[in-house]
Amino acid sequence: MTNFHISFGTEVADALRDGRPVVALESTIVSHGLPRPDNLLVARQIEQAVRDAGAVPATIGMIAGELIVGLDDAQLTRLATTDGVAKLSVRDLAVAAATGADGATTVAATSAVAASAGIGVFATGGLGGVHREAAQTFDESADLVTLARTPITVVCAGVKSILDVGATLERLETLGVGVVGYRTRRFPGFYLTDGGFDLDWSVESPEQVADVLIARERQGGHHGGLVVAHPLPADEQLDPALHDRTLADGLARLARDGVTGKAVTPFLLAHFHSATEGASLAVNVRIILRNADLAARIAVAAVTRRVAV
Ligand code: PSU
Ligand code: MN
């Protein structure tokens, strides 16, 4: 049963029918989060990382108004290389479908569609969150409120340090979204290993995440999303001094250029990629590939445990 009209890639449809592990992947990082031409290559590498760890990748996006779970290579190429691909949050999905748009799904939209399609694990880079200045602008990503009502496990490297990390953690708490560190009690800051805040819980293995998922299921239907925060090892993070300089400069440009709304996140990411001459891009790619690998191992463990219990 699905709430959206969804078309499935053949491989994903087969895997879901057979109860094999599947990992959802978003397309906004491909169309809006990473520069061309790397974006398409990285999109394929992410899928390969999921496969290498034993699961089937289901990259989600919209082609000519059709919501697709498991884009094929031609469709992925179209979203990665065409101008005018819309950035779709949950609220955009119906209008985009009705108008026949091409669109890439954010964490929020990907989570909603994946859960609706029966996929329980999702890998991304960093979650959207509360923007700095949100007290004035009210700019808080719909990723947060969507996770409050969507039963899915999102593997991410925390939230980007371009956001207000502390406020984001507070909102996740209010919204009832579970947050566990993967082998850490510190919430990661995406480019940075340590985002500066403590976590209440940590898990040690994919099997332990699977145990959490089984417990949630047995406790009934009141659970929404679960964030598995997976930091980069400290020796792989972006140089913190370079990070701080780039962020200060990016925020100043944001204010100067009057960038607002859904353009904020892509603007700051693009600024990082150009200002660090690719260093942040390399870090960004590492984050996503590591998260894809961990998400796949969680999906495998969840399938194995469920058969075992
Ligand atoms: N993290 C990344 N790159 C991205 C995003 C997150 O490393 O491109 C995208 C995700 O799709 C996320 C979105 O859902 O940015 C958040 O945008 P906004 O702040 O407008 O909600
Ligand atoms: Mn926003």
Side-chain angles (χ1 to χ4, degrees):
M1 188 203 70
T2 57
N3 302 318
F4 297 102
H5 179 72
I6 298 175
S7 300
F8 290 85
T10 325
E11 193 189 1
V12 173
D14 289 351
L16 288 173
R17 192 196 51 228
D18 300 344
R20 284 184 280 122
V22 176
V23 171
L25 299 167
E26 60 153 314
S27 42
T28 294
I29 47 175
V30 179
S31 62
H32 293 73
L34 297 167
R36 298 180 198 167
D38 304 71
N39 60 345
L40 177 58
L41 303 175
V42 174
R44 291 178 177 144
Q45 286 171 8
I46 300 169
E47 294 197 341
Q48 191 58 45
V50 170
R51 287 183 204 287
D52 290 347
V56 171
T59 307
I60 294 175
M62 184 175 281
I63 300 288
E66 194 179 357
L67 205 43
I68 295 170
V69 176
L71 295 164
D72 65 25
D73 198 64
Q75 293 165 334
L76 199 57
T77 304
R78 177 158 154 175
L79 293 186
T81 58
T82 319
D83 290 335
V85 171
K87 175 176 163 183
L88 303 178
S89 192
V90 177
R91 67 173 190 160
D92 306 305
L93 291 173
V95 189
T99 56
D102 278 2
T105 49
T106 63
V107 169
T110 306
S111 297
V113 174
S116 177
I119 301 173
V121 184
F122 167 26
T124 185
L127 211 59
V130 179
H131 284 262
R132 295 162 188 246
E133 318 293 330
Q136 280 78 46
T137 62
F138 278 70
D139 190 354
E140 172 184 323
S141 176
D143 292 356
L144 301 187
V145 72
T146 302
L147 284 180
R149 56 171 187 249
T150 307
I152 193 148
T153 298
V154 183
V155 180
C156 63
V159 296
K160 279 172 291 287
S161 42
I162 60 176
L163 300 168
D164 185 334
V165 180
T168 302
L169 283 169
E170 293 290 351
R171 288 291 292 149
L172 287 168
E173 179 183 0
T174 305
L175 292 165
V177 178
V179 184
V180 295
Y182 190 77
R183 298 186 175 162
T184 181
R185 286 284 181 106
R186 298 285 285 174
F187 192 60
F190 193 70
Y191 296 127
L192 302 178
T193 300
D194 185 341
F197 293 85
D198 285 327
L199 292 173
D200 292 335
W201 301 98
S202 67
V203 289
E204 295 303 315
S205 65
E207 290 72 24
Q208 206 173 19
V209 179
D211 287 342
V212 175
L213 300 183
I214 291 166
R216 287 160 63 92
E217 225 170 66
R218 289 185 178 166
Q219 286 169 355
H222 42 261
H223 289 297
L226 176 70
V227 173
V228 176
H230 186 213
L232 268 185
D235 60 356
E236 293 185 36
Q237 69 180 339
L238 192 62
D239 169 30
L242 174 62
H243 168 273
D244 292 353
R245 278 200 308 276
T246 309
L247 178 58
D249 185 34
L251 292 172
R253 283 173 191 237
L254 195 67
R256 192 194 64 202
D257 295 359
V259 177
T260 57
K262 67 199 224 177
V264 168
T265 299
F267 178 91
L268 286 172
L269 288 172
H271 170 70
F272 260 86
H273 295 330
S274 62
T276 65
E277 292 169 356
S280 75
L281 176 59
V283 171
N284 201 336
V285 171
R286 275 291 296 155
I287 287 169
I288 303 172
L289 294 180
R290 283 169 46 85
N291 292 348
D293 170 72
L294 177 58
R297 289 187 290 129
I298 291 170
V300 169
V303 166
T304 310
R305 285 282 156 111
R306 209 151 283 156
V307 171
V309 290

